[in-house]
Amino acid sequence: RGATYLRAWGMGRTVGEGTGRRKRGRETNGETMSNEVRSTNRGGGAVGDRWVGHGEAVGSEGIADLAGNTMATEPTPDQLIAELHRLGVRHLATTTPSPTYVPLTPLHLLTSLANCPDARVRSALVPLFLWRPDFAASVRNAAAATTGQARAMLMCGYSAAVAMEHGLAGALGQLRSANALPLHDFFDQDLGVTANASPVDRLQEVARRHAQLSGRDINWKGTYEHAVASALRAAEPAVEWSR
């Protein structure tokens, strides 16, 4: 079960109970505020191009659907949630019964999620990368196509998924396709993450870097863990059925 896998990895009761809360913190719209993390970059939170050492050139075209048609507007949070459901990440509820949407390309789904005004939707990037490692092929282009907090969310959210992947192998084996490849750590050098650190220490380092890059005093580690724990609980029927 989702809580069991997370506790076994060493995340403890905080995430196993699905609260996403930590001492002296409070959860706010999917992100956990905390006095524990103090940003050293409060000046505006911009993340410069220098943080994307592995980025590739990206065109300036608009949001595109899978048919290659350019969309006039950004997808709404409900439309993004509907697309996440289609991809197997089903822990978020929409505010409309059946939101209409056009499936997006991986690149534009990632950039739209990172730029979404709803924090719950932004944090769903972490379980998306874990459930669908094929989206890793587009993450560098997506990071290069975004700026500021959206870029920080993509780089750090992806790096958080990399740190969590090994400890969740039992659950992910039931959720991924049989030929899924492990996530490659594209941003370790860009984020300055310590080489050969344990997964738990690595996740904490990513969270601290996220606070610095975004300029936001948020418990990012709790945010990542809460998103994954919630997605695992929503996926439990599928996991159990496949056993």
Side-chain angles (χ1 to χ4, degrees), residues 123-190:
S123 64
L125 278 164
V126 184
L128 175 63
F129 287 128
L130 288 168
W131 272 229
R132 293 293 303 266
D134 51 308
F135 275 68
S138 301
V139 69
R140 289 177 291 178
N141 280 349
T146 53
T147 59
Q149 293 188 17
R151 180 177 289 179
M153 184 70 238
L154 275 167
M155 295 174 65
C156 296
Y158 177 82
S159 299
V162 172
M164 300 173 76
E165 181 180 40
H166 179 72
L168 297 172
L172 295 177
Q174 308 298 324
L175 296 168
R176 291 176 167 180
S177 64
N179 60 349
L181 297 175
L183 295 172
H184 181 76
D185 199 349
F186 292 121
F187 303 120
D188 55 339
Q189 295 183 7
D190 302 291

Side-chain angles (χ1 to χ4, degrees), residues 10-240:
M11 292 184 185
R13 295 179 65 253
T14 299
V15 179
E17 295 177 353
T19 63
R21 300 177 191 274
R22 297 184 64 175
K23 187 177 181 181
R24 295 184 296 161
R26 63 182 178 85
E27 188 179 6
T28 305
N29 196 24
E31 295 174 350
T32 307
M33 304 299 294
S34 173
N35 296 324
E36 180 179 327
V37 179
R38 295 295 177 186
S39 171
T40 59
N41 181 30
R42 290 183 175 276
V47 184
D49 291 341
R50 59 195 177 92
W51 299 117
V52 187
H54 302 284
E56 301 171 359
V58 180
S60 58
E61 69 275 10
I63 300 297
D65 61 27
L66 287 176
N69 302 311
T70 300
M71 300 174 65
T73 60
E74 287 277 353
T76 66
D78 273 0
Q79 289 172 326
L80 291 172
I81 292 171
E83 177 69 348
L84 288 168
H85 281 219
R86 187 183 71 85
L87 295 168
V89 181
R90 301 187 175 97
H91 64 293
L92 299 177
T94 61
T95 58
T96 55
S98 299
T100 58
Y101 72 100
V102 178
L104 301 175
T105 65
L107 172 63
H108 290 120
L109 176 60
L110 294 181
T111 57
S112 295
L113 290 170
N115 282 296
C116 184
D118 190 326
R120 301 171 308 139
V121 178
R122 293 195 301 271
S123 64
L125 278 164
V126 184
L128 175 63
F129 287 128
L130 288 168
W131 272 229
R132 293 293 303 266
D134 51 308
F135 275 68
S138 301
V139 69
R140 289 177 291 178
N141 280 349
T146 53
T147 59
Q149 293 188 17
R151 180 177 289 179
M153 184 70 238
L154 275 167
M155 295 174 65
C156 296
Y158 177 82
S159 299
V162 172
M164 300 173 76
E165 181 180 40
H166 179 72
L168 297 172
L172 295 177
Q174 308 298 324
L175 296 168
R176 291 176 167 180
S177 64
N179 60 349
L181 297 175
L183 295 172
H184 181 76
D185 199 349
F186 292 121
F187 303 120
D188 55 339
Q189 295 183 7
D190 302 291
L191 296 175
V193 177
T194 303
N196 302 319
S198 71
V200 174
D201 290 343
R202 193 177 190 83
L203 186 65
Q204 186 64 64
E205 285 191 37
V206 171
R208 290 185 183 129
R209 195 71 179 118
H210 199 164
Q212 293 170 356
L213 293 176
S214 66
R216 303 186 68 187
D217 186 19
I218 287 173
N219 174 9
W220 289 107
K221 180 174 179 288
T223 297
Y224 310 144
E225 292 173 341
H226 182 51
V228 172
S230 299
L232 276 174
R233 283 194 301 275
E236 275 186 1
V239 173
E240 292 295 329

